[in-house]
Amino acid sequence: MPISETGTPIRPKKMNQESSGFSLLELLVVITIIGLIAGAAVLSVGVLGDNQNTQSEALRLQAILELLQEDALMQSRDYGIVFSSTGYQFYIYDHQLRSWLETKNETFLLKRELRPPLRISLVVDGQDLILTESISEKMTYLGEPHVFILSSGEMTPFKLSLSQFTDDRLLLTGKLDGTVDIFSNEPL
């Protein structure tokens, strides 16, 4: 037994059961609760991450349209876009052949199929267009594109809705002057 400087014996203090810290069982319960909360957070990010797919596709399409508008002005080219309910494809107008040709040299202008369940609906000149389910690779498009981007800098005014579910949508609006804006949860 240790003795203090004054000569009195020092008795070691007994630790109370209450102040001895956490038991192993209490630590395991807390770690389990934290794990469950973290798991729920990861799962909820996965569910909400679907909207990120819609946003990234809207931003991608907006950037491409703005790039094409600039390129149409600089190169004196006319571009066209054909939409389906699950994708879109770009075309260049050949003035010598007087027809719309698929773009083959630019990878970002190749046919784009959206990841399910992402869907497109399109309004041009105040009319809802009935879009085909998908753009077939074997089918050559002989008609006119839905949206034109002209060498004068003008664009066909349109409203394009990207949605995964009926209540969750992003709206891209193209204006005659070539500007493209994105709005959230707007009705067509």
Side-chain angles (χ1 to χ4, degrees):
M1 185 172 350
I3 299 176
S4 72
E5 292 178 6
T6 58
T8 57
I10 301 174
R11 293 187 187 157
K13 294 183 180 179
K14 291 184 181 178
M15 294 191 157
N16 292 339
Q17 196 68 359
E18 299 165 307
S19 65
S20 65
F22 298 105
S23 70
L24 182 59
L25 181 62
E26 290 170 324
L27 287 174
L28 287 175
V29 168
V30 169
I31 290 172
T32 302
I33 290 172
I34 290 172
L36 289 173
I37 291 171
V42 167
L43 288 177
S44 71
V45 167
V47 170
L48 296 175
D50 291 342
N51 191 25
Q52 186 176 9
N53 184 25
T54 308
Q55 289 176 347
S56 66
E57 191 61 45
L59 291 171
R60 178 183 192 280
L61 186 55
Q62 179 187 34
I64 290 174
L65 291 174
E66 289 172 350
L67 179 70
L68 285 181
Q69 198 262 345
E70 287 180 25
D71 191 57
L73 280 169
M74 300 296 287
Q75 302 291 330
S76 294
R77 290 185 184 166
D78 294 327
Y79 290 98
I81 311 163
V82 175
F83 291 96
S84 72
S85 59
T86 59
Y88 49 91
Q89 178 148 3
F90 297 94
Y91 292 88
I92 297 175
Y93 188 74
D94 188 325
H95 292 280
Q96 293 175 343
L97 298 174
R98 294 185 180 184
S99 66
W100 291 96
L101 305 176
E102 290 183 34
T103 58
K104 295 186 180 185
N105 296 337
E106 305 290 340
T107 55
F108 66 92
L109 295 179
L110 295 176
K111 181 178 82 157
R112 175 82 169 169
E113 288 292 330
L114 306 178
R115 286 187 276 176
L118 204 53
R119 310 273 302 167
I120 293 175
S121 55
L122 183 65
V123 174
V124 176
D125 293 330
Q127 293 184 347
D128 287 333
L129 298 183
I130 299 171
L131 302 175
T132 60
E133 187 60 30
S134 67
I135 298 172
S136 172
E137 290 185 25
K138 296 177 183 176
M139 179 185 85
T140 56
Y141 187 74
L142 300 175
E144 299 228 340
H146 297 121
V147 174
F148 297 100
I149 301 172
L150 303 176
S151 58
S152 63
E154 297 174 324
M155 181 189 313
T156 307
F158 68 90
K159 290 183 180 181
L160 182 137
S161 174
L162 283 169
S163 62
Q164 293 188 21
F165 308 106
T166 56
D167 295 337
D168 183 29
R169 71 177 60 204
L170 288 177
L171 182 69
L172 274 82
T173 59
K175 297 178 184 166
L176 185 63
D177 65 357
T179 58
V180 179
D181 296 315
I182 300 175
F183 300 99
S184 180
N185 288 323
E186 293 282 330
L188 281 175

